[in-house]
Amino acid sequence: MSMLPESPRVLALANQKGGVGKTTTAINLGTALAAIGEKVLVIDLDPQGNASTGLGIEHRDRGVSTYEVLSGDCSLAEAVRETAVQRLWVAPSTMDLLGLELEIASTSDRAFRLRNAVEGLTRSRLFQEIGFTYVLVDCPPSLNLLTINALSASHSILVPLQCEFFALEGLSQLLSTVEQVKNALNSELTIHGIVLTMYDSRNNLSSQVVADVRETMGDAVYETVIPRNVRISEAPSYGKPALLYDLKCAGSQAYLRLASEIIQRERELRRVAA
């Protein structure tokens, strides 16, 4: 009798502020985890669909998207697409997601649509064939019903935080939302970590922000800091993660270090749980 694969770890990448490197982190962390042997599914929950584009899925090729999954028209397994990266898959999104909140607002399971879809995926033939080990959910830049769905479906939240003057502003609102979701919808939800992005070593402010965030959030902040990097910015226009576009650039190397750090934290979490 064949062993069923274990359920994947589900991490939501969330921050209600836009432009903090959330989608860039979803794409490149997913690629880095795949590069070190994990089997990763990126679920694009942002109506802008930048994670899908950055992984090479054209708009015209998104016949079945996360909109159809959350509206109940198809299963998550039906939406999953291969990418050019070995061991990395994506469930793409479309602008149709913009209207989803209104469509499902009055339904009793409105906050659990994604959780139910992920549970369905783990029972599917696709999951038995692939055995995803990580699911990364790229959330929209707001604390709306899509983000609530992601937090309800996830084991942990990963927060990208830009190294800028107002970095900590808004973080308390996000942490408050996480606490509310934990109390009302998902008692298992934890903060996996905060990753500082767009770090500019030539800028004194960047160093000050890193120091301030570490002082405020302590061990929740990953050691790895993602630098501001031209190659990371260029990669999405080629429909590629930075690690495929330029593996040796500083940004790609940072995401590989972050992936290793996340795996290490996962081991520690499992040890504590045991």
Side-chain angles (χ1 to χ4, degrees), residues 196-271:
L196 291 156
T197 62
M198 304 184 199
Y199 175 76
D200 186 346
S201 58
R202 299 162 302 177
N203 185 334
N204 287 337
L205 175 63
S206 273
S207 300
Q208 187 59 51
V209 169
V210 171
D212 288 350
V213 175
R214 288 200 190 284
E215 187 181 340
T216 306
M217 299 304 299
D219 291 343
V221 187
Y222 297 108
E223 284 298 317
T224 305
V225 175
I226 309 299
R228 190 177 284 282
N229 184 255
V230 164
R231 306 299 271 174
I232 284 184
S233 306
E234 289 174 349
S237 62
Y238 293 89
K240 290 180 178 179
L243 280 86
L244 276 196
Y245 181 62
D246 184 351
L247 177 62
K248 290 190 166 58
C249 76
S252 294
Q253 292 300 307
Y255 277 114
L256 283 167
R257 287 196 300 278
L258 179 63
S260 297
E261 198 174 341
I262 283 172
I263 298 285
Q264 186 56 42
R265 282 201 184 190
E266 285 290 312
R267 286 198 191 108
E268 287 166 15
L269 285 169
R270 276 199 289 272
R271 194 161 57 239

Side-chain angles (χ1 to χ4, degrees), residues 44-87:
D44 193 348
L45 273 200
D46 189 342
Q48 295 175 67
N50 292 337
S52 310
T53 306
L55 288 170
I57 310 297
E58 300 281 348
H59 284 276
R60 63 175 179 271
D61 295 331
R62 300 179 200 175
V64 177
S65 71
T66 50
Y67 167 76
E68 280 80 20
V69 173
L70 296 187
S71 61
D73 291 337
C74 75
S75 69
L76 182 53
E78 291 173 89
V80 171
R81 305 287 308 275
E82 287 185 345
T83 71
V85 181
Q86 195 176 5
R87 293 186 295 276

Side-chain angles (χ1 to χ4, degrees), residues 7 14 49 91-92 105 110 156 241 249:
S7 291
R110 60 187 173 276
S156 292
C249 76

Side-chain angles (χ1 to χ4, degrees), residues 24-160:
T24 301
T25 298
I27 292 170
N28 290 298
L29 175 59
T31 304
L33 285 167
I36 58 179
E38 302 294 335
K39 293 175 180 177
V40 186
L41 171 63
V42 173
I43 297 179
D44 193 348
L45 273 200
D46 189 342
Q48 295 175 67
N50 292 337
S52 310
T53 306
L55 288 170
I57 310 297
E58 300 281 348
H59 284 276
R60 63 175 179 271
D61 295 331
R62 300 179 200 175
V64 177
S65 71
T66 50
Y67 167 76
E68 280 80 20
V69 173
L70 296 187
S71 61
D73 291 337
C74 75
S75 69
L76 182 53
E78 291 173 89
V80 171
R81 305 287 308 275
E82 287 185 345
T83 71
V85 181
Q86 195 176 5
R87 293 186 295 276
L88 180 65
W89 291 260
V90 63
S93 85
T94 61
M95 294 292 278
D96 291 338
L97 272 178
L98 285 170
L100 183 84
E101 194 157 352
L102 280 175
E103 288 177 35
I104 67 171
S106 60
T107 62
S108 60
D109 67 342
R110 60 187 173 276
F112 301 111
R113 294 293 181 98
L114 185 62
R115 181 194 289 185
N116 295 340
V118 171
E119 286 175 357
L121 176 69
T122 62
R123 295 191 296 269
S124 69
R125 177 176 291 179
L126 180 73
F127 185 73
Q128 288 177 33
E129 289 171 359
I130 295 172
F132 299 110
T133 53
Y134 279 88
V135 174
L136 305 180
V137 187
D138 187 29
C139 298
S142 61
L143 297 176
N144 61 10
L145 188 55
L146 290 169
T147 300
I148 299 299
N149 261 272
L151 298 182
S152 298
S154 297
H155 296 103
S156 292
I157 175 174
L158 192 158
V159 185

